[in-house]
Amino acid sequence: MDLPRSFTIRESSHRVHNPFTSEKLAALGQALHLAPGTRALDLASGSGEMLCTWAHAHRIVGTGVDISTEFTARAQARASELGVAGQVVFIHGDASGHVADEPVDLAACIGATWIGNGVAGTIELLRRSLRPDGMLLIGEPYWRQDPPDQHTVEACHASSKDDFRLLPELIEQFGELGYDVVEMMLADQDSWDRYRAAQWFNIRRWLDSNPDDELAAELRAELSREPARYARYEREYLGWGVFALMGR
């Protein structure tokens, strides 16, 4: 049980595995007015940057669960680096079936709603760990504008236009599921650039050091096509944001 090796190579320098800068992550933590001692659960927690930095800045406590052994180890190292290893715990495991032992104040899934087969299922999974008046955080892509054809859809890593919604429709979906949107923080094109372009640099550095690896041909092809594909399609059509939700 682990992520494909190509994913960890691609994001080897990333602390945040989404098109979100450290500055946006910090701004979101401030916007949520997190009280010291807030108990958080982060499913698909990646390298643990959200829990670690918020534990350091706001003195929250919490648990992160992620399928990647490498990212879980990085999260534990980051907690030690920031002096919050006594506040946050990181578990290597399948986040799709994880429910907290005790209700938490904040339950999050930032950019991995596949663990619940979509937004609705992930919200239901998180709800099982949340105290009645707690807050959910969902990170999710949305269409910045309607994709004109199936080629554009697939170039944005979707199989169907219906995989994502326009931003107003996504917000309406949260309401239909019984939640108020109480805060949101959206990626912009610069934060997308920082996320994607860093992947290309990571791949190139890895290729230079591992020219004979079994993944070299695959990653060389990716590096050759992805910058232009991203600039033509994903940068223009795909948005991404984190949405704070509270039950009605």
Side-chain angles (χ1 to χ4, degrees):
M1 182 175 61
D2 214 329
L3 285 176
R5 189 161 63 100
S6 59
F7 189 92
T8 57
I9 292 168
R10 190 180 297 115
E11 305 216 353
S12 58
S13 70
H14 290 61
R15 284 182 170 169
V16 180
H17 301 286
N18 289 299
F20 227 40
T21 62
S22 298
E23 292 78 12
K24 284 186 178 291
L25 188 62
L28 178 61
Q30 292 172 350
L32 296 179
H33 306 289
L34 298 168
T38 295
R39 296 185 66 245
L41 173 67
D42 187 10
L43 298 184
S45 52
S47 296
E49 191 71 0
M50 185 181 79
L51 284 182
C52 289
T53 56
W54 289 1
H56 183 262
H58 305 287
R59 292 183 289 161
I60 71 167
V61 298
T63 299
V65 183
D66 198 88
I67 198 172
S68 170
T69 52
E70 182 171 336
F71 292 164
T72 301
R74 286 193 213 168
Q76 293 164 343
R78 182 64 166 153
S80 296
E81 177 187 358
L82 293 180
V84 296
Q87 296 168 242
V88 291
V89 175
F90 294 97
I91 300 169
H92 173 242
D94 183 0
S96 65
H98 188 92
V99 178
D101 294 334
E102 298 180 9
V104 299
D105 306 302
L106 180 71
C109 178
I110 308 299
T113 56
W114 52 265
I115 68 171
N117 295 314
V119 168
T122 301
I123 285 177
E124 174 57 26
L125 173 63
L126 293 172
R127 186 196 61 78
R128 294 166 61 192
S129 296
L130 192 68
R131 63 178 173 82
D133 57 347
M135 182 181 295
L136 299 178
L137 291 181
I138 295 288
E140 182 70 4
Y142 58 87
W143 295 119
R144 297 182 66 237
Q145 54 181 311
D146 273 319
D149 50 40
Q150 182 63 20
H151 180 75
T152 301
V153 167
E154 293 176 3
C156 293
H157 304 288
S159 58
S160 165
K161 179 181 173 182
D162 294 336
D163 287 355
F164 309 131
R165 303 187 181 207
L166 293 168
L167 180 58
E169 295 170 355
L170 178 58
I171 292 173
E172 289 169 349
Q173 181 186 19
F174 295 138
E176 292 163 1
L177 294 169
Y179 290 86
D180 290 323
V181 176
V182 298
E183 183 57 84
M184 69 180 186
M185 192 73 62
L186 304 181
D188 55 27
Q189 287 180 311
D190 182 65
S191 51
W192 268 108
D193 293 348
R194 301 281 55 74
Y195 175 57
R196 288 299 192 211
Q199 293 178 343
W200 311 331
F201 194 24
N202 292 338
I203 291 171
R204 176 54 194 262
R205 289 191 301 182
W206 182 88
L207 284 169
D208 288 346
S209 298
N210 300 275
D212 299 321
D213 191 278
E214 61 182 2
L215 290 179
E218 172 189 333
L219 291 176
R220 161 42 60 193
E222 178 178 329
L223 181 58
S224 297
R225 69 173 182 267
E226 283 302 297
R229 184 209 57 80
Y230 162 74
R232 180 169 288 116
Y233 298 107
E234 192 172 5
R235 193 177 192 271
E236 299 302 317
Y237 288 94
L238 197 61
W240 192 88
V242 180
F243 304 86
L245 313 176
M246 296 184 72
R248 289 178 175 170

